[in-house]
Amino acid sequence: MRKQHFIVITVLLSLLVISCGKQGPQRPSRWLGKEPELDSTEMALLELNRQMALAADEQLLQLAQSQEEPYALYDGGIWVHQIDGGDTDSPAIQFGELCTIRIRTYNLDGRMLTDTEQTYPIGKFEMPMGVERNIREWHHGARLRMYAPWYSAYGMKGTDHIAPYENVILEIDIR
C-alpha cells in the first residue's frame, strides 16, 4: 500500500514537472489572433529611399559617362577611376589589415566637404560603405576618384559636414 502511494505521488510529481516546462513568449501580433498590419509610414519611406537610390544611380551614371577618364562600376553602385594602381607587385589590401587612408569628400559641384586621413581596420566598416566594400580590390599606394551614391557613402543621416542623401565624389589615397 505504501509502495502504491509512493508510485502514485511520484507519477503525479513527474507529470507536474513535465507540464511546467518553459514555453516561448507569444509574438505580440499573435496575441489577438491578428496578422500584423503593414506600417504605411515605413512602407512610404522604403519607397522614397528606393526612388532616391534609382535617381542617384542615374545621376552618377551620367556623370561618369561624361568624363574623359574611364570609370568602372564597382560594388555598391560606385563609379571608380583608378588614377594610380599603387604597388601592384604586393598583395591587395587584406581583411583585418590596418590601412592609412586619406579621403577627400566633395559634393557633385566640386566643393570640398571633408578631408580626413586616418588608419582604418579593414572589415570594421568605419569608412564609407562603398570604399569598405571594394578596398580589397586595390593596393597600397593606389589613388582613386569615386562617384558614390548616398547609400554607399554617408547614407540617410549624413555627417556634421555632409548632408543626408548626398551623392559625393571621393578621392582616396591608400597609403
Side-chain angles (χ1 to χ4, degrees):
M1 175 95 166
R2 200 164 203 205
K3 194 174 187 178
Q4 288 177 341
H5 285 302
F6 178 73
I7 293 174
V8 169
I9 291 173
T10 304
V11 169
L12 289 175
L13 285 175
S14 298
L15 288 173
L16 182 63
V17 169
I18 291 171
S19 66
C20 292
K22 280 193 168 185
Q23 180 179 0
Q26 285 185 326
R27 290 181 27 200
S29 63
R30 303 282 186 209
W31 284 349
L32 301 176
K34 295 180 183 177
E35 289 292 322
E37 294 181 24
L38 294 176
D39 182 350
S40 60
T41 304
E42 185 177 341
M43 293 302 291
L45 181 59
L46 286 172
E47 179 59 23
L48 175 65
N49 282 345
R50 187 186 72 76
Q51 290 175 0
M52 291 183 75
L54 290 173
D57 290 342
E58 181 62 31
Q59 181 182 30
L60 296 179
L61 169 64
Q62 290 176 4
L63 185 59
Q65 288 178 339
S66 70
Q67 303 304 307
E68 289 181 22
E69 308 91 16
Y71 279 80
L73 181 61
Y74 276 72
D75 193 22
I78 62 171
W79 289 92
V80 178
H81 168 64
Q82 189 167 308
I83 299 167
D84 183 351
D87 182 11
T88 56
D89 292 333
S90 66
I93 294 169
Q94 302 295 312
F95 181 83
E97 181 178 347
L98 289 176
C99 196
T100 301
I101 301 173
R102 180 178 182 192
I103 302 175
R104 290 179 302 281
T105 306
Y106 301 86
N107 66 11
L108 295 184
D109 293 330
R111 183 174 55 90
M112 183 179 280
L113 303 172
T114 63
D115 185 351
T116 60
E117 182 171 334
Q118 72 182 70
T119 301
Y120 296 96
I122 305 305
K124 298 293 183 180
F125 292 95
E126 295 179 8
M127 296 179 273
M129 186 184 70
V131 177
E132 184 75 49
R133 288 174 73 172
N134 295 290
I135 194 150
R136 289 179 273 161
E137 300 282 329
W138 304 309
H139 299 269
H140 288 278
R143 292 181 53 230
L144 312 148
R145 180 175 299 115
M146 302 177 180
Y147 297 133
W150 62 269
Y151 59 86
S152 284
Y154 298 97
M156 297 183 306
K157 296 182 180 178
T159 69
D160 291 342
H161 305 286
I162 301 165
Y165 294 101
E166 185 157 14
N167 300 325
V168 294
I169 300 168
L170 301 172
E171 290 186 356
I172 309 290
D173 295 324
I174 304 170
R175 310 247 190 240

